[in-house]
Amino acid sequence: MAVDYTVIVVYLAGMLAMGWWGMRRAKSKSDFLVAGRRLGPVMYSGTMAAIVLGGASTIGGVGLGYQYGLSGAWMVFTIGLGLLALSVFFSARIARLKVYTVSEMLDLRYGGRAGLISGVVMWAYTLMLAVTSTIAYATIFDVLFDMNRTLAIILGGSIVVAYSTLGGMWSITLTDMVQFVVKTIGVLLLLLPIAVVKAGGFSAMKAKLPTEYFDPLGIGGETIFTYVLIYTFGMLIGQDIWQRVFTARDDRTAKWGGTVAGTYCLVYALAGAVIGTAAKVMYPKLPSADTAFATIVKDELPVGVRGLVLAAALAAVMSTSSGALIACATVANNDIWSRLRGAVKRDAGDEHDEVKGNRVFILVMGIAVICTAIAIDNVVEALTVAYNLLVAGLLVPILGGLLWKRGTVHGALAAVAVGGVAVIGLMATYGILANEPVYYGLLLSLAAYVIVSLATPATDAAVLATWRERLAGRDAEPLSEPVPVPQ
Protein backbone atom coordinates (compact mmCIF):
# COMPACT_ATOMS: atom_id res chain seq x y z
CA MET A 1 0.00 0.00 0.00
CA ALA A 2 3.02 2.32 0.25
CA VAL A 3 2.71 3.33 -3.41
CA ASP A 4 -1.03 3.96 -3.00
CA TYR A 5 -0.40 6.08 0.09
CA THR A 6 2.19 8.09 -1.82
CA VAL A 7 -0.27 8.80 -4.64
CA ILE A 8 -2.92 9.98 -2.18
CA VAL A 9 -0.52 12.15 -0.15
CA VAL A 10 0.87 13.79 -3.30
CA TYR A 11 -2.69 14.45 -4.48
CA LEU A 12 -3.74 16.05 -1.16
CA ALA A 13 -0.57 18.15 -1.03
CA GLY A 14 -1.31 19.31 -4.58
CA MET A 15 -4.78 20.44 -3.53
CA LEU A 16 -3.31 22.61 -0.78
CA ALA A 17 -0.70 24.02 -3.18
CA MET A 18 -3.47 24.95 -5.62
CA GLY A 19 -5.24 26.73 -2.79
CA TRP A 20 -2.15 28.76 -1.99
CA TRP A 21 -1.66 29.67 -5.66
CA GLY A 22 -5.31 30.63 -6.01
CA MET A 23 -5.00 33.00 -3.04
CA ARG A 24 -2.60 35.14 -5.06
CA ARG A 25 -5.26 35.61 -7.78
CA ALA A 26 -8.20 36.41 -5.50
CA LYS A 27 -7.82 40.18 -5.31
CA SER A 28 -11.48 41.25 -5.46
CA LYS A 29 -14.94 40.02 -4.51
CA SER A 30 -15.51 38.94 -8.11
CA ASP A 31 -12.23 36.99 -8.15
CA PHE A 32 -12.96 35.33 -4.83
CA LEU A 33 -16.60 34.35 -5.43
CA VAL A 34 -16.84 33.77 -9.21
CA ALA A 35 -13.21 33.54 -10.45
CA GLY A 36 -13.43 37.01 -11.99
CA ARG A 37 -16.15 35.79 -14.41
CA ARG A 38 -13.47 34.85 -16.93
CA LEU A 39 -13.28 31.06 -17.28
CA GLY A 40 -12.90 29.77 -20.81
CA PRO A 41 -14.64 26.69 -22.30
CA VAL A 42 -12.11 24.06 -21.19
CA MET A 43 -11.85 25.10 -17.56
CA TYR A 44 -15.56 25.86 -17.35
CA SER A 45 -16.55 22.43 -18.69
CA GLY A 46 -14.12 20.58 -16.45
CA THR A 47 -15.00 22.39 -13.26
CA MET A 48 -18.76 22.20 -13.91
CA ALA A 49 -18.53 18.44 -14.44
CA ALA A 50 -16.41 18.14 -11.30
CA ILE A 51 -18.87 19.88 -9.00
CA VAL A 52 -21.98 17.99 -10.11
CA LEU A 53 -20.28 14.57 -10.00
CA GLY A 54 -19.50 14.11 -6.34
CA GLY A 55 -19.26 11.23 -3.91
CA ALA A 56 -22.94 10.36 -4.37
CA SER A 57 -22.45 10.14 -8.13
CA THR A 58 -19.32 8.01 -7.84
CA ILE A 59 -19.70 5.79 -4.77
CA GLY A 60 -23.50 6.00 -4.79
CA GLY A 61 -23.72 5.51 -8.56
CA VAL A 62 -21.67 2.30 -8.36
CA GLY A 63 -23.83 1.18 -5.44
CA LEU A 64 -27.01 1.66 -7.48
CA GLY A 65 -25.44 -0.31 -10.31
CA TYR A 66 -24.67 -3.11 -7.84
CA GLN A 67 -28.26 -3.09 -6.61
CA TYR A 68 -30.22 -2.53 -9.86
CA GLY A 69 -27.83 -3.08 -12.75
CA LEU A 70 -27.69 -0.73 -15.71
CA SER A 71 -30.83 1.13 -14.61
CA GLY A 72 -28.86 2.26 -11.57
CA ALA A 73 -27.42 4.91 -13.91
CA TRP A 74 -30.65 6.93 -13.71
CA MET A 75 -29.73 9.02 -10.66
CA VAL A 76 -26.54 10.41 -12.19
CA PHE A 77 -28.17 10.45 -15.63
CA THR A 78 -30.88 12.84 -14.41
CA ILE A 79 -28.16 15.08 -12.98
CA GLY A 80 -26.64 15.23 -16.46
CA LEU A 81 -30.05 15.97 -18.00
CA GLY A 82 -30.53 18.83 -15.55
CA LEU A 83 -27.15 20.30 -16.42
CA LEU A 84 -27.92 20.02 -20.13
CA ALA A 85 -31.28 21.76 -19.66
CA LEU A 86 -29.69 24.53 -17.60
CA SER A 87 -26.92 25.05 -20.15
CA VAL A 88 -29.09 25.04 -23.27
CA PHE A 89 -32.11 27.01 -22.04
CA PHE A 90 -31.04 29.23 -19.13
CA SER A 91 -27.27 29.56 -18.61
CA ALA A 92 -26.70 32.42 -21.07
CA ARG A 93 -29.39 34.54 -19.43
CA ILE A 94 -28.17 33.65 -15.95
CA ALA A 95 -24.57 34.60 -16.80
CA ARG A 96 -25.65 37.96 -18.22
CA LEU A 97 -27.31 38.96 -14.93
CA LYS A 98 -23.85 39.43 -13.33
CA VAL A 99 -25.10 38.62 -9.83
CA TYR A 100 -23.49 36.44 -7.16
CA THR A 101 -26.44 34.47 -5.76
CA VAL A 102 -29.84 33.08 -6.73
CA SER A 103 -31.45 35.38 -4.15
CA GLU A 104 -29.95 38.44 -5.85
CA MET A 105 -31.57 37.25 -9.06
CA LEU A 106 -34.94 37.02 -7.29
CA ASP A 107 -34.52 40.54 -5.87
CA LEU A 108 -33.65 41.87 -9.29
CA ARG A 109 -36.60 40.17 -10.97
CA TYR A 110 -39.27 40.89 -8.35
CA GLY A 111 -38.10 44.24 -7.05
CA GLY A 112 -36.64 43.29 -3.69
CA ARG A 113 -37.93 41.59 -0.53
CA ALA A 114 -37.68 38.02 -1.85
CA GLY A 115 -33.99 37.58 -1.10
CA LEU A 116 -33.85 36.92 2.64
CA ILE A 117 -36.36 34.07 2.86
CA SER A 118 -35.04 32.45 -0.32
CA GLY A 119 -31.51 32.89 1.05
CA VAL A 120 -32.39 30.94 4.20
CA VAL A 121 -33.79 28.05 2.14
CA MET A 122 -30.77 28.05 -0.19
CA TRP A 123 -28.37 28.22 2.76
CA ALA A 124 -29.99 25.13 4.35
CA TYR A 125 -29.68 23.25 1.05
CA THR A 126 -26.02 24.14 0.43
CA LEU A 127 -25.11 23.40 4.06
CA MET A 128 -26.62 19.89 3.88
CA LEU A 129 -25.01 19.29 0.48
CA ALA A 130 -21.60 20.19 1.94
CA VAL A 131 -22.26 18.03 5.00
CA THR A 132 -23.20 14.92 3.03
CA SER A 133 -20.13 15.32 0.82
CA THR A 134 -17.91 15.70 3.86
CA ILE A 135 -19.28 12.54 5.46
CA ALA A 136 -18.12 10.59 2.40
CA TYR A 137 -14.48 11.15 3.41
CA ALA A 138 -15.01 8.56 6.14
CA THR A 139 -15.67 5.83 3.57
CA ILE A 140 -12.59 6.60 1.49
CA PHE A 141 -10.12 7.08 4.36
CA ASP A 142 -11.44 3.91 5.99
CA VAL A 143 -10.38 1.96 2.90
CA LEU A 144 -7.04 3.76 2.74
CA PHE A 145 -5.93 3.92 6.33
CA ASP A 146 -8.56 2.07 8.41
CA MET A 147 -9.17 5.47 9.98
CA ASN A 148 -11.71 6.42 12.65
CA ARG A 149 -14.83 8.05 11.13
CA THR A 150 -14.53 11.32 13.04
CA LEU A 151 -10.83 11.69 12.28
CA ALA A 152 -11.47 10.97 8.58
CA ILE A 153 -14.14 13.68 8.40
CA ILE A 154 -11.89 16.18 10.16
CA LEU A 155 -8.91 15.38 7.89
CA GLY A 156 -10.79 15.52 4.60
CA GLY A 157 -12.95 18.47 5.62
CA SER A 158 -9.97 20.47 6.87
CA ILE A 159 -8.14 20.14 3.54
CA VAL A 160 -11.19 21.37 1.61
CA VAL A 161 -11.81 24.22 4.05
CA ALA A 162 -8.13 25.22 3.86
CA TYR A 163 -7.83 25.57 0.10
CA SER A 164 -11.34 27.06 -0.25
CA THR A 165 -10.62 29.68 2.42
CA LEU A 166 -7.28 30.61 0.90
CA GLY A 167 -8.30 31.36 -2.66
CA GLY A 168 -12.08 31.11 -2.89
CA MET A 169 -13.42 30.25 -6.34
CA TRP A 170 -10.01 30.53 -7.99
CA SER A 171 -8.58 27.84 -5.71
CA ILE A 172 -11.69 25.70 -6.11
CA THR A 173 -11.58 26.10 -9.90
CA LEU A 174 -7.95 25.04 -10.11
CA THR A 175 -8.44 22.07 -7.80
CA ASP A 176 -11.65 21.06 -9.58
CA MET A 177 -9.83 20.99 -12.91
CA VAL A 178 -7.22 18.64 -11.45
CA GLN A 179 -10.01 16.58 -9.86
CA PHE A 180 -11.82 16.34 -13.21
CA VAL A 181 -8.71 14.91 -14.87
CA VAL A 182 -8.09 12.48 -11.99
CA LYS A 183 -11.73 11.29 -12.07
CA THR A 184 -11.65 10.79 -15.82
CA ILE A 185 -8.48 8.72 -15.68
CA GLY A 186 -9.30 6.86 -12.47
CA VAL A 187 -12.95 5.96 -13.07
CA LEU A 188 -13.55 6.01 -16.83
CA LEU A 189 -10.17 4.94 -18.22
CA LEU A 190 -8.97 2.56 -15.48
CA LEU A 191 -11.67 1.23 -13.15
CA LEU A 192 -14.36 0.75 -15.82
CA PRO A 193 -12.40 -1.53 -18.21
CA ILE A 194 -10.65 -3.37 -15.36
CA ALA A 195 -13.96 -4.11 -13.64
CA VAL A 196 -15.55 -5.44 -16.84
CA VAL A 197 -12.53 -7.64 -17.60
CA LYS A 198 -12.37 -8.99 -14.03
CA ALA A 199 -16.09 -9.87 -14.23
CA GLY A 200 -15.45 -11.91 -17.39
CA GLY A 201 -16.76 -9.44 -19.95
CA PHE A 202 -20.32 -8.43 -20.79
CA SER A 203 -21.31 -11.90 -21.97
CA ALA A 204 -20.33 -13.44 -18.62
CA MET A 205 -22.11 -10.65 -16.74
CA LYS A 206 -25.33 -11.32 -18.68
CA ALA A 207 -25.04 -15.05 -18.05
CA LYS A 208 -24.53 -14.71 -14.29
CA LEU A 209 -27.09 -12.00 -13.46
CA PRO A 210 -30.90 -11.82 -13.73
CA THR A 211 -32.26 -10.22 -16.91
CA GLU A 212 -33.67 -7.24 -14.96
CA TYR A 213 -30.07 -6.12 -14.35
CA PHE A 214 -29.93 -5.18 -18.03
CA ASP A 215 -33.39 -3.59 -18.23
CA PRO A 216 -32.99 0.19 -18.72
CA LEU A 217 -36.14 0.79 -16.63
CA GLY A 218 -35.50 -1.89 -14.04
CA ILE A 219 -35.16 0.57 -11.17
CA GLY A 220 -38.84 1.55 -11.61
CA GLY A 221 -40.74 4.32 -13.34
CA GLU A 222 -41.72 6.10 -10.12
CA THR A 223 -38.11 6.18 -8.94
CA ILE A 224 -36.96 7.61 -12.27
CA PHE A 225 -39.69 10.28 -12.13
CA THR A 226 -38.61 11.24 -8.61
CA TYR A 227 -34.98 11.49 -9.71
CA VAL A 228 -36.02 13.82 -12.54
CA LEU A 229 -38.09 15.96 -10.20
CA ILE A 230 -35.39 16.25 -7.54
CA TYR A 231 -32.07 16.13 -9.41
CA THR A 232 -32.91 17.43 -12.89
CA PHE A 233 -34.89 20.37 -11.53
CA GLY A 234 -32.45 20.75 -8.64
CA MET A 235 -29.66 21.36 -11.16
CA LEU A 236 -31.66 24.26 -12.57
CA ILE A 237 -31.82 26.26 -9.35
CA GLY A 238 -29.01 25.29 -6.96
CA GLN A 239 -26.68 28.07 -5.78
CA ASP A 240 -23.67 25.75 -6.13
CA ILE A 241 -24.48 25.27 -9.83
CA TRP A 242 -25.42 28.88 -10.56
CA GLN A 243 -22.23 30.12 -8.93
CA ARG A 244 -20.29 28.09 -11.51
CA VAL A 245 -22.39 29.56 -14.33
CA PHE A 246 -21.37 33.00 -13.05
CA THR A 247 -17.69 32.10 -13.65
CA ALA A 248 -18.14 31.82 -17.46
CA ARG A 249 -16.50 34.60 -19.42
CA ASP A 250 -19.37 34.90 -21.93
CA ASP A 251 -22.73 33.47 -23.01
CA ARG A 252 -21.20 31.00 -25.44
CA THR A 253 -18.94 29.52 -22.79
CA ALA A 254 -21.84 29.10 -20.38
CA LYS A 255 -24.03 27.42 -22.98
CA TRP A 256 -21.64 25.14 -24.84
CA GLY A 257 -19.23 24.49 -21.99
CA GLY A 258 -22.15 23.39 -19.82
CA THR A 259 -23.47 21.20 -22.65
CA VAL A 260 -20.13 19.38 -22.84
CA ALA A 261 -20.15 18.91 -19.05
CA GLY A 262 -23.72 17.59 -19.12
CA THR A 263 -22.84 15.08 -21.83
CA TYR A 264 -19.85 13.95 -19.78
CA CYS A 265 -22.23 13.33 -16.86
CA LEU A 266 -24.33 10.98 -19.00
CA VAL A 267 -21.23 8.93 -19.84
CA TYR A 268 -20.14 8.93 -16.19
CA ALA A 269 -23.60 7.70 -15.15
CA LEU A 270 -23.43 4.68 -17.42
CA ALA A 271 -19.85 3.91 -16.36
CA GLY A 272 -20.81 3.84 -12.67
CA ALA A 273 -23.72 1.49 -13.34
CA VAL A 274 -21.53 -0.88 -15.38
CA ILE A 275 -18.87 -0.94 -12.64
CA GLY A 276 -21.54 -1.72 -10.05
CA THR A 277 -22.98 -4.48 -12.23
CA ALA A 278 -19.51 -6.00 -12.61
CA ALA A 279 -19.06 -5.83 -8.83
CA LYS A 280 -22.31 -7.77 -8.40
CA VAL A 281 -20.84 -10.59 -10.48
CA MET A 282 -17.62 -10.69 -8.46
CA TYR A 283 -19.13 -10.06 -5.01
CA PRO A 284 -22.76 -11.20 -5.07
CA LYS A 285 -23.33 -10.99 -1.31
CA LEU A 286 -21.86 -7.72 -0.08
CA PRO A 287 -23.51 -6.48 3.15
CA SER A 288 -24.24 -3.08 1.58
CA ALA A 289 -24.42 -1.88 -2.02
CA ASP A 290 -22.54 1.28 -1.04
CA THR A 291 -19.43 -0.79 -0.25
CA ALA A 292 -19.22 -2.08 -3.84
CA PHE A 293 -16.93 0.73 -5.01
CA ALA A 294 -14.48 0.38 -2.13
CA THR A 295 -14.47 -3.42 -2.34
CA ILE A 296 -13.69 -3.66 -6.05
CA VAL A 297 -10.99 -1.00 -5.75
CA LYS A 298 -9.36 -2.64 -2.73
CA ASP A 299 -9.42 -6.23 -4.00
CA GLU A 300 -9.13 -6.06 -7.79
CA LEU A 301 -6.86 -3.17 -8.74
CA PRO A 302 -3.06 -3.34 -8.90
CA VAL A 303 -0.81 -1.25 -6.68
CA GLY A 304 -0.56 2.35 -7.84
CA VAL A 305 -3.73 2.10 -9.92
CA ARG A 306 -5.63 1.51 -6.69
CA GLY A 307 -4.21 4.70 -5.24
CA LEU A 308 -5.14 6.68 -8.35
CA VAL A 309 -8.73 5.38 -8.37
CA LEU A 310 -9.11 6.15 -4.66
CA ALA A 311 -7.73 9.60 -5.43
CA ALA A 312 -10.45 9.84 -8.10
CA ALA A 313 -13.10 9.04 -5.49
CA LEU A 314 -11.55 11.59 -3.17
CA ALA A 315 -11.56 14.11 -6.03
CA ALA A 316 -15.25 13.50 -6.64
CA VAL A 317 -16.08 14.14 -2.99
CA MET A 318 -13.80 17.18 -2.68
CA SER A 319 -15.14 18.91 -5.79
CA THR A 320 -18.76 18.74 -4.61
CA SER A 321 -17.81 19.57 -1.03
CA SER A 322 -15.79 22.67 -1.94
CA GLY A 323 -18.44 23.91 -4.38
CA ALA A 324 -21.19 23.49 -1.82
CA LEU A 325 -19.04 25.14 0.86
CA ILE A 326 -18.34 28.33 -1.09
CA ALA A 327 -22.01 28.46 -2.13
CA CYS A 328 -23.10 28.09 1.50
CA ALA A 329 -20.71 30.82 2.64
CA THR A 330 -21.69 33.16 -0.21
CA VAL A 331 -25.40 32.83 0.61
CA ALA A 332 -24.76 33.21 4.35
CA ASN A 333 -22.76 36.39 3.82
CA ASN A 334 -24.48 38.07 0.85
CA ASP A 335 -28.10 37.01 1.33
CA ILE A 336 -28.49 36.63 5.10
CA TRP A 337 -25.82 38.41 7.13
CA SER A 338 -25.46 41.47 4.87
CA ARG A 339 -29.25 41.98 4.86
CA LEU A 340 -29.58 41.55 8.63
CA ARG A 341 -26.55 43.74 9.17
CA GLY A 342 -27.99 46.37 6.83
CA ALA A 343 -31.28 46.34 8.75
CA VAL A 344 -29.44 47.00 12.01
CA LYS A 345 -26.80 49.42 10.82
CA ARG A 346 -26.70 51.41 7.59
CA ASP A 347 -23.50 53.39 8.00
CA ALA A 348 -22.30 54.69 4.65
CA GLY A 349 -18.78 55.09 6.04
CA ASP A 350 -18.53 51.52 7.26
CA GLU A 351 -15.85 50.13 4.93
CA HIS A 352 -14.79 46.50 5.08
CA ASP A 353 -12.61 44.15 3.10
CA GLU A 354 -15.06 42.04 1.08
CA VAL A 355 -12.51 39.34 0.22
CA LYS A 356 -11.49 39.05 3.85
CA GLY A 357 -15.14 38.97 4.95
CA ASN A 358 -16.01 36.19 2.48
CA ARG A 359 -12.89 34.29 3.52
CA VAL A 360 -14.01 34.42 7.15
CA PHE A 361 -17.47 33.14 6.20
CA ILE A 362 -15.98 30.17 4.33
CA LEU A 363 -13.89 29.31 7.39
CA VAL A 364 -16.85 29.60 9.76
CA MET A 365 -19.20 27.64 7.48
CA GLY A 366 -16.48 25.03 6.95
CA ILE A 367 -16.15 24.45 10.68
CA ALA A 368 -19.95 24.21 10.95
CA VAL A 369 -20.03 21.66 8.11
CA ILE A 370 -17.37 19.47 9.73
CA CYS A 371 -19.12 19.54 13.12
CA THR A 372 -22.50 18.76 11.55
CA ALA A 373 -21.01 15.92 9.50
CA ILE A 374 -19.61 14.34 12.66
CA ALA A 375 -23.00 14.58 14.39
CA ILE A 376 -25.22 13.28 11.56
CA ASP A 377 -25.57 9.56 10.91
CA ASN A 378 -28.07 9.28 8.06
CA VAL A 379 -26.63 10.88 4.92
CA VAL A 380 -29.53 9.97 2.62
CA GLU A 381 -32.13 11.57 4.88
CA ALA A 382 -30.11 14.79 5.24
CA LEU A 383 -29.65 15.09 1.47
CA THR A 384 -33.32 14.29 0.81
CA VAL A 385 -34.46 17.04 3.18
CA ALA A 386 -32.13 19.50 1.46
CA TYR A 387 -33.30 18.70 -2.06
CA ASN A 388 -36.98 18.58 -1.07
CA LEU A 389 -36.75 22.06 0.47
CA LEU A 390 -34.86 23.39 -2.53
CA VAL A 391 -37.22 22.05 -5.19
CA ALA A 392 -40.52 22.59 -3.36
CA GLY A 393 -39.55 26.04 -2.06
CA LEU A 394 -37.53 27.69 -4.84
CA LEU A 395 -38.13 25.97 -8.17
CA VAL A 396 -41.41 27.76 -8.94
CA PRO A 397 -40.40 31.36 -8.08
CA ILE A 398 -37.06 31.00 -9.89
CA LEU A 399 -38.37 29.45 -13.11
CA GLY A 400 -41.51 31.59 -12.86
CA GLY A 401 -39.36 34.70 -12.71
CA LEU A 402 -37.43 33.62 -15.80
CA LEU A 403 -40.45 32.53 -17.84
CA TRP A 404 -43.58 34.44 -16.67
CA LYS A 405 -43.57 38.23 -16.54
CA ARG A 406 -46.84 38.35 -14.55
CA GLY A 407 -45.21 36.74 -11.52
CA THR A 408 -44.95 39.13 -8.54
CA VAL A 409 -42.89 39.38 -5.40
CA HIS A 410 -45.94 38.45 -3.32
CA GLY A 411 -46.45 35.35 -5.45
CA ALA A 412 -42.77 34.43 -5.09
CA LEU A 413 -42.86 34.79 -1.29
CA ALA A 414 -46.08 32.77 -1.12
CA ALA A 415 -44.54 30.02 -3.25
CA VAL A 416 -41.43 29.80 -1.05
CA ALA A 417 -43.44 29.79 2.18
CA VAL A 418 -46.19 27.39 1.07
CA GLY A 419 -43.82 25.00 -0.69
CA GLY A 420 -41.34 24.96 2.20
CA VAL A 421 -43.93 24.51 4.97
CA ALA A 422 -45.86 21.92 2.95
CA VAL A 423 -42.84 19.75 2.21
CA ILE A 424 -41.75 19.78 5.86
CA GLY A 425 -45.23 18.86 7.05
CA LEU A 426 -45.59 16.14 4.42
CA MET A 427 -42.20 14.65 5.29
CA ALA A 428 -43.39 14.42 8.89
CA THR A 429 -46.53 12.64 7.67
CA TYR A 430 -45.25 10.35 4.91
CA GLY A 431 -41.63 9.97 6.04
CA ILE A 432 -38.46 11.76 4.95
CA LEU A 433 -37.64 9.30 2.17
CA ALA A 434 -41.17 9.19 0.70
CA ASN A 435 -41.85 10.59 -2.78
CA GLU A 436 -45.15 12.31 -1.94
CA PRO A 437 -43.74 15.33 -0.03
CA VAL A 438 -41.87 16.79 -2.99
CA TYR A 439 -44.74 15.98 -5.41
CA TYR A 440 -47.44 17.72 -3.36
CA GLY A 441 -45.13 20.45 -2.05
CA LEU A 442 -44.21 21.46 -5.59
CA LEU A 443 -47.85 21.51 -6.74
CA LEU A 444 -48.89 23.64 -3.75
CA SER A 445 -45.99 26.02 -4.39
CA LEU A 446 -47.07 26.41 -8.03
CA ALA A 447 -50.69 27.03 -7.04
CA ALA A 448 -49.69 29.66 -4.48
CA TYR A 449 -47.41 31.41 -6.98
CA VAL A 450 -50.02 31.65 -9.72
CA ILE A 451 -52.99 32.56 -7.50
CA VAL A 452 -51.18 35.19 -5.41
CA SER A 453 -49.42 36.70 -8.44
CA LEU A 454 -52.73 37.13 -10.27
CA ALA A 455 -54.39 38.54 -7.15
CA THR A 456 -51.72 41.20 -6.53
CA PRO A 457 -50.56 44.17 -8.63
CA ALA A 458 -48.17 43.34 -11.45
CA THR A 459 -44.47 43.99 -10.92
CA ASP A 460 -43.60 47.64 -11.51
CA ALA A 461 -42.68 48.44 -15.10
CA ALA A 462 -39.40 50.06 -14.02
CA VAL A 463 -38.34 46.88 -12.21
CA LEU A 464 -39.17 44.74 -15.25
CA ALA A 465 -37.31 47.18 -17.50
CA THR A 466 -34.21 46.87 -15.33
CA TRP A 467 -34.61 43.09 -15.37
CA ARG A 468 -34.81 43.00 -19.17
CA GLU A 469 -31.75 45.23 -19.47
CA ARG A 470 -29.74 42.87 -17.29
CA LEU A 471 -30.98 39.79 -19.16
CA ALA A 472 -29.80 41.44 -22.36
CA GLY A 473 -26.35 41.96 -20.85
CA ARG A 474 -26.64 45.72 -20.46
CA ASP A 475 -26.25 47.72 -17.23
CA ALA A 476 -24.32 44.75 -15.87
CA GLU A 477 -22.79 46.08 -12.67
CA PRO A 478 -23.13 43.46 -9.89
CA LEU A 479 -25.74 44.15 -7.26
CA SER A 480 -24.50 45.54 -3.96
CA GLU A 481 -27.94 45.91 -2.37
CA PRO A 482 -31.41 44.49 -3.08
CA VAL A 483 -33.35 46.36 -5.77
CA PRO A 484 -35.87 48.60 -3.98
CA VAL A 485 -39.55 48.36 -4.72
CA PRO A 486 -40.60 51.60 -6.49
CA GLN A 487 -43.00 53.72 -4.47
Side-chain angles (χ1 to χ4, degrees):
M1 291 289 289
V3 175
D4 297 325
Y5 292 161
T6 301
V7 172
I8 297 296
V9 170
V10 169
Y11 168 75
L12 293 176
M15 295 300 97
L16 291 174
M18 289 287 184
W20 182 262
W21 191 83
M23 181 177 67
R24 301 174 62 184
R25 302 196 64 171
K27 303 298 184 183
S28 67
K29 179 180 179 180
S30 177
D31 287 335
F32 194 81
L33 295 183
V34 290
R37 306 185 194 273
R38 54 180 186 265
L39 295 192
V42 174
M43 290 195 73
Y44 180 85
S45 298
T47 57
M48 181 63 87
I51 188 177
V52 300
L53 296 173
S57 300
T58 304
I59 299 171
V62 171
L64 287 171
Y66 182 89
Q67 188 173 0
Y68 298 104
L70 298 185
S71 67
W74 273 105
M75 183 187 78
V76 183
F77 202 83
T78 55
I79 290 173
L81 292 178
L83 186 52
L84 285 171
L86 175 71
S87 301
V88 172
F89 299 113
F90 300 109
S91 62
R93 282 186 284 177
I94 292 170
R96 286 196 293 266
L97 291 175
K98 301 297 183 185
V99 295
Y100 292 106
T101 68
V102 174
S103 295
E104 287 184 0
M105 167 264 173
L106 291 173
D107 273 342
L108 181 64
R109 165 60 181 82
Y110 293 111
R113 295 190 294 177
L116 181 58
I117 186 172
S118 63
V120 171
V121 174
M122 190 64 76
W123 174 80
Y125 157 73
T126 54
L127 178 71
M128 284 298 101
L129 185 62
V131 165
T132 53
S133 301
T134 303
I135 291 172
Y137 296 127
T139 302
I140 299 170
F141 283 118
D142 178 58
V143 176
L144 282 171
F145 309 115
D146 193 24
M147 187 179 291
N148 172 270
R149 176 183 183 275
T150 299
L151 184 59
I153 290 172
I154 293 174
L155 175 60
S158 297
I159 292 171
V160 170
V161 171
Y163 72 69
S164 301
T165 302
L166 285 172
M169 187 59 84
W170 267 121
S171 292
I172 292 171
T173 296
L174 295 170
T175 54
D176 276 0
M177 198 62 201
V178 173
Q179 288 159 358
F180 170 74
V181 172
V182 171
K183 276 193 290 193
T184 301
I185 295 173
V187 175
L188 296 184
L189 301 184
L190 292 176
L191 182 58
L192 175 60
I194 289 173
V196 172
V197 170
K198 291 281 186 177
F202 285 106
S203 58
M205 291 164 62
K206 286 185 177 180
K208 294 178 181 179
L209 293 174
T211 55
E212 55 264 27
Y213 265 73
F214 301 92
D215 180 358
L217 304 178
I219 198 170
E222 184 179 353
T223 299
I224 294 171
F225 179 75
T226 303
Y227 284 159
V228 170
L229 198 60
I230 294 178
Y231 296 113
T232 301
F233 286 117
M235 286 294 105
L236 298 180
I237 58 175
Q239 169 67 26
D240 52 324
I241 309 302
W242 278 42
Q243 200 156 342
R244 291 311 172 95
V245 175
F246 299 151
T247 65
R249 71 184 179 196
D250 53 37
D251 297 357
R252 185 177 178 84
T253 297
K255 182 175 181 178
W256 295 111
T259 301
V260 170
T263 304
Y264 178 90
C265 291
L266 304 183
V267 175
Y268 199 88
L270 185 59
V274 171
I275 293 168
T277 305
K280 183 67 176 180
V281 173
M282 291 182 278
Y283 309 98
K285 295 183 179 180
L286 289 177
S288 170
D290 286 339
T291 63
F293 179 88
T295 302
I296 196 171
V297 169
K298 190 174 183 179
D299 294 349
E300 302 297 336
L301 299 186
V303 173
V305 173
R306 179 172 51 207
L308 183 59
V309 172
L310 287 171
L314 202 57
V317 175
M318 284 186 161
S319 57
T320 299
S321 181
S322 59
L325 176 59
I326 193 171
C328 178
T330 302
V331 171
N333 188 10
N334 284 28
D335 297 335
I336 300 175
W337 171 244
S338 64
R339 295 169 193 269
L340 296 176
R341 181 174 176 272
V344 175
K345 180 179 180 180
R346 293 186 179 275
D347 184 353
D350 184 27
E351 299 288 337
H352 64 284
D353 182 346
E354 291 193 74
V355 172
K356 181 179 179 181
N358 281 291
R359 187 172 281 136
V360 168
F361 265 86
I362 289 182
L363 179 60
V364 171
M365 290 298 107
I367 294 171
V369 164
I370 292 173
C371 293
T372 307
I374 293 171
I376 287 180
D377 292 325
N378 196 314
V379 180
V380 175
E381 289 190 358
L383 192 59
T384 300
V385 170
Y387 268 102
N388 283 355
L389 278 172
L390 176 71
V391 173
L394 293 181
L395 178 66
V396 170
I398 292 172
L399 293 188
L402 289 169
L403 301 173
W404 190 40
K405 68 178 182 180
R406 186 60 181 83
T408 68
V409 66
H410 303 289
L413 290 172
V416 174
V418 170
V421 171
V423 81
I424 291 172
L426 290 166
M427 282 191 291
T429 302
Y430 286 98
I432 290 176
L433 300 180
N435 295 326
E436 289 84 356
V438 71
Y439 295 166
Y440 299 144
L442 188 56
L443 288 174
L444 290 170
S445 178
L446 177 60
Y449 180 72
V450 173
I451 293 170
V452 175
S453 291
L454 293 176
T456 53
T459 303
D460 188 273
V463 172
L464 288 177
T466 301
W467 167 253
R468 287 192 292 269
E469 287 289 303
R470 293 290 284 271
L471 279 179
R474 299 184 291 269
D475 188 26
E477 289 299 318
L479 292 176
S480 57
E481 293 184 358
V483 178
V485 178
Q487 301 299 316

